[in-house]
Amino acid sequence: MNQKSKIIRLEKDGPAGLEPMELNPKDFQSDLPEQHIHVYFSDEELGLEVGVWTTTSMQESFGPYPGDEFMVVLEGQVKMVDSEENEVLVKSGETFVIRNAIPISWKQEGFLRKFYMTYADPKAESGVLPSAEGGVIVFDQEQLKMQMTLMDSTEPFVIHGEKPLQNNCVNFTNDAGNMFTGMWDSTAFESEMRAYQWHEMVHLLEGRVRITDSLGITQEFEAGESFFIPKGTRCQWTVDQYVKKFYAVI
């Protein structure tokens, strides 16, 4: 099993610490911050990257956001500022997504740490959207709960035994139509060992899940933890009671 077909547990300090980033002053309208990163997964041909990132205080240059990005804020908070000085505040513990190419600036006051999944198709034409309105979405569990609907299918799972009750709500679809984020829940189930049909980053909200790969290695994840499953990874899920997650899939 290679690095691109294994279940990846996201750790806030990376497996062996974070690496300092080289920064370009042109990317900032403030003094240069200190930024560190660990990339857990990268597919340059697809334009997909998953990792953990930190920054000190700064403000980025105003311009089109460079890709669609799903994030979980682990420490600190950030304000996303548009051209009319409208702000969207995202706090520690919150999950949010930003739409590709919206005109916006990342304004950072104090330290921030996040998990992220970015998607920017290198073959797509670059551009800028006329407005940032609606382009920063902070996930609200209560709001999403009211919008969830019962699923007819259990994809990407083939179920052993009794079919579980699974609900889903998609709260963001990118302009290319191949990235989706939302909230999903399920009653207890056990799935067959099967190749995963898409790339998925998960932030677990409730319950716990055991995931076993094709080598027989089992990892358990519980509420508050995040992980990433690359497309094609053969794995089996076991949920003993109930599980709820925020997710982003490509």
Side-chain angles (χ1 to χ4, degrees):
M1 181 182 297
N2 62 37
Q3 180 67 26
K4 291 197 173 184
S5 59
K6 64 181 290 187
I7 300 147
I8 302 171
R9 181 185 298 273
L10 304 186
E11 302 166 304
K12 72 181 185 69
D13 293 316
L18 307 184
E19 296 293 328
M21 299 181 67
E22 293 186 10
L23 304 177
N24 186 340
K26 294 181 180 180
D27 295 334
F28 300 89
Q29 53 182 301
S30 67
D31 293 337
L32 284 181
E34 293 183 4
Q35 296 184 346
H36 292 77
I37 196 169
H38 175 76
V39 176
Y40 283 98
F41 178 90
S42 178
D43 185 326
E44 293 184 2
E45 183 176 353
L46 181 61
L48 177 63
E49 184 174 290
V50 177
V52 57
W53 174 88
T54 69
T55 185
T56 55
S57 296
M58 57 88 177
Q59 184 165 1
E60 292 180 343
S61 299
F62 185 83
Y65 203 75
D68 298 295
E69 184 169 9
F70 172 80
M71 290 163 276
V72 179
V73 179
L74 303 172
E75 299 178 50
Q77 62 181 33
V78 59
K79 294 176 181 177
M80 304 304 302
V81 185
D82 70 13
S83 60
E84 298 179 354
E85 297 299 316
N86 297 311
E87 298 179 347
V88 177
L89 176 65
V90 190
K91 300 176 182 178
S92 178
E94 293 186 321
T95 298
F96 70 119
V97 63
I98 299 180
R99 180 185 179 190
N100 176 48
I102 62 170
I104 207 157
S105 172
W106 183 296
K107 185 176 182 180
Q108 186 62 49
E109 298 173 350
F111 180 80
L112 181 132
R113 183 190 306 270
K114 70 177 183 180
F115 290 143
Y116 69 88
M117 185 176 90
T118 57
Y119 172 62
D121 184 352
K123 299 180 292 295
E125 294 184 6
S126 60
V128 57
L129 296 175
S131 171
E133 184 176 358
V136 181
I137 301 171
V138 182
F139 289 42
D140 183 324
Q141 282 198 59
E142 291 304 314
Q143 184 181 67
L144 292 175
K145 182 179 179 180
M146 292 187 292
Q147 299 173 13
M148 293 180 81
T149 57
L150 184 64
M151 298 176 64
D152 295 327
S153 168
T154 60
E155 290 292 343
F157 306 111
V158 175
I159 304 298
H160 280 306
E162 184 177 352
K163 181 181 177 181
L165 296 176
Q166 298 184 341
N167 299 281
N168 185 54
C169 173
V170 174
N171 69 340
F172 170 78
T173 303
N174 71 344
D175 293 329
N178 60 355
M179 176 177 172
F180 308 89
T181 71
M183 188 168 79
W184 171 95
D185 73 357
S186 178
T187 55
F189 72 93
E190 182 176 342
S191 71
E192 294 182 3
M193 183 72 67
R194 187 187 188 198
Y196 222 61
Q197 296 177 313
W198 47 66
H199 298 284
E200 181 172 10
M201 179 173 163
V202 171
H203 180 61
L204 215 57
L205 299 169
E206 293 185 39
R208 57 170 52 89
V209 59
R210 296 190 303 280
I211 307 179
T212 303
D213 64 29
S214 58
L215 298 179
I217 299 171
T218 298
Q219 297 189 61
E220 182 169 291
F221 301 94
E222 59 184 26
E225 295 187 310
S226 301
F227 58 94
F228 177 75
I229 302 179
K231 181 179 179 179
T233 301
R234 290 182 57 79
C235 61
Q236 175 188 43
W237 285 46
T238 302
V239 174
D240 292 327
Q241 295 182 344
Y242 172 81
V243 69
K244 182 196 292 182
K245 68 181 181 182
F246 287 151
Y247 66 85
V249 299
I250 297 287

